[in-house]
Amino acid sequence: MATGDVTIVVQVEGGAAKTATIPSATRINALAWLNRNHAGTEDDPNLTDATWSVYLANSAANGIIHAAEKQLISAAAPTTPTFTAAT
């Protein structure tokens, strides 16, 4: 791993840690893309390495929560009741 590279580690309790490494050039490009619409002012600051790591962790957590919510909605969706019509 080189200076500036990003390592993402995910570990489910009791399991083995899984890691992914992102090269520093990719990190720089990602920051540039995320900062493209920020003014870089006090009211609209650009992401820094420190704030990007928070953004990245929160983004991953939000993705997991969103998937869980979709599953809960899917599991709770009522099925259309059927009946045999009277004749």
Side-chain angles (χ1 to χ4, degrees), residues 36-77:
R36 71 193 183 284
N37 294 323
H38 291 277
T41 63
E42 187 176 333
D43 294 332
D44 189 18
N46 285 329
L47 290 171
T48 63
D49 285 337
T51 57
W52 181 65
S53 63
V54 172
Y55 169 86
L56 191 60
N58 288 337
S59 179
N62 283 333
I64 293 166
I65 290 168
H66 179 71
E69 288 174 344
K70 295 295 260 183
Q71 175 59 28
L72 289 172
I73 290 167
S74 173

Side-chain angles (χ1 to χ4, degrees), residues 1-57:
M1 189 163 128
T3 301
D5 287 359
V6 176
T7 300
I8 300 169
V9 180
V10 177
Q11 183 173 11
V12 176
E13 187 174 352
K18 306 298 180 194
T19 62
T21 302
I22 300 169
S24 61
T26 304
R27 174 185 56 83
I28 291 167
N29 286 332
L31 278 172
W33 177 255
L34 292 170
N35 285 330
R36 71 193 183 284
N37 294 323
H38 291 277
T41 63
E42 187 176 333
D43 294 332
D44 189 18
N46 285 329
L47 290 171
T48 63
D49 285 337
T51 57
W52 181 65
S53 63
V54 172
Y55 169 86
L56 191 60

